[in-house]
Amino acid sequence: MWSRVRALLPALMILSLVLFSGCADSDTDEAMKPSTGDAGAMGKEESLESKGVGISEGRTSEGMLPVYFDFDSSDIRQDQVSRIQVNADFMKGDDGTVRIEGNCDPRGTNEYNMALGERRALSAKKYLVNLGVPEERLTTISYGEERLLVHGQDELSYAQNRRDDFVIAE
Amino acid sequence: MKRLLMPLLCLFLLVPITADAQRVYLDITSPDARKILFAVPWFQNSGLATSQQAYGRNLAVTLAKALEFHGIIDIASSAAQQGSTADDWKRLGVDYATVGRYTIAGDQISLEIRLFDAATGDMLLGKSYNGPSTQTDVMLFKFTDAVINELTGKSGIAGTQIAFVSQPPNKREKEVFITDILGRSLRQVTRHQSLIVSPRFSPDGVFLAYTSYHSGNQNLYITDLRQDKTTRALSRRPGMNLAPAWAPDGNSMIVTLSHNGNPDLYLINRSGEILKQITRNAGINVSPVFSPDGRHIVFVSDRSKKPQLYLMELATGNTQRITYEGSENAEPSWSPTEDLVTYSSLRGGIYQICTVNPFKDRSETQITTDQTHHESPSWSPDGNQIIFAKRDGAGHKIYGIMKNGSYQRLLFSLPGSQSYPRWQIKTY
């Protein structure tokens, strides 16, 4: 049963991203509000060319992919190795810094999960360094269970929350 | 009227009625002990007509709530103005009664409160308080703590402070707040507009350490609660800077850092400098807490696969696992008065509050049973109660419970979600 769920995971994640994207992040709601007053009036002249600050999956920056973990584990799963490789390739074609954000599902206690999320971020960092990404271009931060992407109390939701995001730092 | 105009100098005057060395105090630890019944009639202002006594009623209600909070006192429901005479006490069947009077002049209030033994009619305690009316609750809490001391031989906890992290409804930010035991004076400590976790009071309750994400890293901060303008980063090493245990002398703390590649415990001083690494690459090491004598710590580690509590003797580094029941055990808090650690234990898929003596027999006692998650337990300063975050829908609310499992109740009805409660004396 579990292996079947796992096989379906990528498809299910895309589906749930569509389902949850509206409520996953309150920042989005803020941006939707119509602006009032002068702050919303004419702005400065800017380039016709803009760099999109896109998201691929989870809260990972466009061009990279989040890495998912088993319950209460910070080991890089075999089926996630190709995703880390994508992120390593992306970073080798760039010179920016990437923040690895470790996350947990809501089961477990807060401070333990904070450390578990950090271990997940550190695991990915170690893997990227082994793939040739300079260590000084990687930082780690753990949100534990404080920044849940999806709030469902089911294995599919839990699986999406057990995740490292890779975020391009300004 | 004349009686009320006591000199301003007699702040906190104690009338010594009971100097009896043979005095037997009430044993409040017995689980089947009957609660003490109190009459707390409305405070009287002889200068006002009965219909204008709403202020006196509010004073009595606050005093009654503060007394009741200790878990050993029930308040006899009495008619508003009744309860001040020996006849009333007999009729209500109470053990003790408080009789309070007040006068107000401008923004100043004077309170005169007495405690009577209902059976003998003896006055056991009499105190008067004068000051700005904004300090009224503080005066009532001081009297409450004196009453508890009179009955049990140990000061009450009405004048203590509780810190917690609160997230307003529909907002992403979490900030630290401090309140009195009744939630009447709520103070927002941090305004980082970020995520704050794991607040920890200094042993004297004057400083508060907490972890904030507002800089972009998970940094440890410390703020002086005697002011509300500034804070200071104490440890800002890359990665985790989380959940310090203050040493009992307040001069050092043990904190989780991950800058060396693993979440380990380190001893740091009040300048944030590392004095010693306490754990070394043995999985997750988090949530330390000192024994009251400062010689041991209990902390959480997953070195045996699942999170469990471990006891370490600091002088030798000798470490032993102390919890074996429940599939996970975490979030320890060491009683300030005895060798008893409270923690949350995963039992049948639900986090329950438990206690264990880390030295003797180590029997793991479960004190909550209802099928809702009970998390982040923390002791009251008198070691009689435990405060915790109880799951409530998607969020949490702050609850209290006696250490014997009785008198579980919601402490604060605040909007949003409250978590990470901590409880400490207040000396500032």
Side-chain angles (χ1 to χ4, degrees):
Chain A
M1 171 62 191
W2 170 227
S3 60
R4 216 160 19 136
V5 170
R6 191 180 287 173
L8 283 169
L9 223 52
L12 288 167
M13 273 168 190
I14 288 162
L15 175 68
S16 56
L17 269 175
V18 173
L19 291 173
F20 284 102
S21 58
C23 60
D25 193 330
S26 58
D27 284 353
T28 322
D29 297 339
E30 290 290 321
M32 298 293 278
K33 283 181 189 160
S35 56
T36 51
D38 290 346
M42 184 182 284
K44 284 187 295 187
E45 194 170 50
E46 56 183 285
S47 169
L48 282 167
E49 201 174 314
S50 306
K51 198 176 169 188
V53 196
I55 296 290
S56 68
E57 254 179 64
R59 298 193 179 101
T60 290
S61 300
E62 210 167 17
M64 293 184 284
L65 292 168
V67 167
Y68 297 91
F69 292 86
D70 282 339
F71 175 64
D72 202 12
S73 167
S74 55
D75 297 337
I76 303 291
R77 271 177 4 212
Q78 206 49 49
D79 66 338
Q80 300 296 309
V81 168
S82 61
R83 293 176 151 253
I84 295 205
Q85 187 66 57
V86 166
N87 298 347
D89 292 345
F90 177 87
M91 286 197 73
K92 285 174 187 169
D94 193 13
D95 56 5
T97 302
V98 165
R99 184 173 70 246
I100 310 172
E101 301 179 347
N103 292 280
C104 301
D105 72 38
R107 295 172 295 174
T109 50
N110 292 338
E111 289 171 2
Y112 175 81
N113 273 348
M114 208 58 95
L116 179 61
E118 182 73 10
R119 297 245 313 167
R120 286 175 176 164
L122 288 164
S123 289
K125 178 181 169 181
K126 204 167 157 189
Y127 215 107
L128 284 170
V129 169
N130 285 341
L131 290 174
V133 177
E135 191 175 356
E136 57 274 15
R137 288 177 55 202
L138 296 164
T139 63
T140 58
I141 192 165
S142 173
Y143 290 116
E145 58 178 276
E146 295 286 350
R147 288 274 189 266
L148 297 178
L149 185 70
V150 291
H151 291 274
Q153 300 287 327
D154 52 88
E155 182 46 43
L156 183 59
S157 303
Y158 293 154
Q160 287 183 79
N161 283 319
R162 294 191 300 263
R163 183 187 80 254
D164 277 346
D165 279 319
F166 298 79
V167 180
I168 298 165
E170 305 91 63
Chain B
M1 192 63 195
K2 207 174 194 175
R3 249 184 334 196
L4 294 171
L5 297 174
M6 305 188 67
L8 283 175
L9 286 171
C10 69
L11 221 70
F12 320 143
L13 168 80
L14 175 70
V15 182
I17 299 293
T18 52
D20 187 355
Q22 303 281 308
R23 175 99 212 219
V24 176
Y25 290 113
L26 297 162
D27 176 18
I28 60 158
T29 53
S30 168
D32 47 18
R34 177 179 75 87
K35 285 193 181 183
I36 309 160
L37 198 56
F38 261 70
V40 185
W42 292 11
F43 285 39
Q44 297 293 307
N45 181 330
S46 49
L48 293 175
T50 305
S51 60
Q52 295 173 289
Q53 298 287 1
Y55 202 92
R57 182 194 64 202
N58 291 342
L59 293 171
V61 167
T62 302
L63 176 58
K65 279 185 183 165
L67 287 166
E68 214 172 11
F69 188 90
H70 290 77
I72 54 169
I73 290 170
D74 268 341
I75 307 297
S77 60
S78 56
Q81 264 84 243
Q82 299 300 304
S84 307
T85 67
D87 284 348
D88 292 337
W89 302 339
K90 192 169 286 175
R91 188 166 43 75
L92 293 165
V94 298
D95 304 299
Y96 298 92
T98 62
V99 176
R101 300 174 193 281
Y102 72 99
T103 52
I104 296 172
D107 60 358
Q108 297 287 306
I109 189 167
S110 297
L111 299 181
E112 186 191 307
I113 324 173
R114 294 172 177 191
L115 172 69
F116 288 94
D117 181 326
T120 63
D122 290 340
M123 184 175 83
L124 303 176
L125 196 65
K127 286 184 176 254
S128 65
Y129 306 91
N130 300 277
S133 52
T134 52
Q135 293 298 302
T136 305
D137 283 358
V138 174
M139 298 172 188
L140 294 170
F141 292 158
K142 278 181 193 287
F143 183 74
T144 301
D145 286 344
V147 169
I148 300 299
N149 185 54
E150 182 65 27
L151 300 181
T152 69
K154 283 182 202 154
S155 175
I157 50 170
T160 60
Q161 54 184 341
I162 291 167
F164 53 84
V165 170
S166 187
Q167 181 177 32
N170 306 317
K171 287 223 171 165
R172 190 163 142 151
E173 292 78 31
K174 292 188 176 184
E175 305 277 6
V176 182
F177 291 74
I178 286 181
T179 180
D180 60 83
I181 57 157
L182 300 182
R184 286 168 61 86
S185 61
L186 190 64
R187 168 181 169 192
Q188 183 170 350
V189 177
T190 61
R191 298 178 295 277
H192 293 307
Q193 300 184 37
S194 182
L195 171 62
I196 315 282
V197 296
S198 302
R200 298 284 196 272
F201 282 111
S202 60
D204 60 6
V206 172
F207 295 90
L208 187 77
Y210 60 92
T211 290
S212 175
Y213 286 71
H214 69 271
S215 74
N217 190 49
Q218 190 209 63
N219 288 346
L220 178 66
Y221 291 82
I222 184 166
T223 186
D224 185 336
L225 294 171
R226 291 168 296 194
Q227 53 90 53
D228 65 353
K229 294 278 181 283
T230 64
T231 188
R232 171 170 273 185
L234 188 66
S235 180
R236 48 204 169 109
R237 297 172 172 89
M240 298 179 79
N241 298 269
L242 186 74
W246 288 80
D249 65 7
N251 291 329
S252 60
M253 49 178 77
I254 292 179
V255 62
T256 295
L257 306 175
S258 65
H259 64 303
N260 283 338
N262 189 65
D264 274 308
L265 299 177
Y266 294 80
L267 181 69
I268 63 172
N269 63 19
R270 285 291 297 271
S271 305
E273 296 157 338
I274 293 173
L275 304 176
K276 192 182 177 188
Q277 185 170 350
I278 304 292
T279 62
R280 211 170 280 275
N281 289 312
I284 286 168
N285 301 279
V286 75
S287 305
V289 58
F290 271 94
S291 60
D293 67 7
R295 291 169 55 202
H296 292 82
I297 56 168
V298 162
F299 62 99
V300 176
S301 179
D302 68 344
R303 59 191 66 186
S304 57
K305 194 96 173 95
K306 288 288 175 184
Q308 296 292 346
L309 301 191
Y310 288 80
L311 173 74
M312 179 190 281
E313 185 181 31
L314 287 169
T316 61
N318 287 343
T319 304
Q320 294 168 278
R321 179 174 162 182
I322 60 169
T323 50
Y324 289 89
E325 293 172 35
S327 46
E328 291 179 15
N329 295 290
E331 309 183 312
S333 169
W334 200 312
S335 167
T337 56
E338 60 186 319
D339 288 327
L340 199 59
V341 170
T342 185
Y343 57 99
S344 53
S345 179
L346 189 58
R347 306 208 166 181
I350 302 287
Y351 283 101
Q352 301 287 2
I353 306 296
C354 294
T355 57
V356 65
N357 181 324
F359 300 120
K360 271 187 249 160
D361 77 37
R362 295 190 181 147
S363 68
E364 299 167 40
T365 308
Q366 183 176 336
I367 67 167
T368 57
T369 53
D370 51 306
Q371 296 296 298
T372 307
H373 292 302
H374 308 71
E375 296 169 59
S376 304
S378 176
W379 285 100
S380 61
D382 65 356
N384 288 330
Q385 305 198 32
I386 296 163
I387 196 171
F388 59 95
K390 186 166 179 169
R391 183 68 66 87
D392 175 75
H396 290 85
K397 298 286 181 202
I398 307 296
Y399 278 68
I401 194 169
M402 304 304 286
K403 70 177 171 191
N404 65 15
S406 66
Y407 196 40
Q408 185 185 149
R409 76 279 188 202
L410 174 69
L411 294 190
F412 315 122
S413 300
L414 298 167
S417 178
Q418 289 81 43
S419 52
Y420 298 99
R422 288 280 147 174
W423 204 340
Q424 192 56 282
I425 54 167
K426 187 175 177 183
T427 57
Y428 59 92

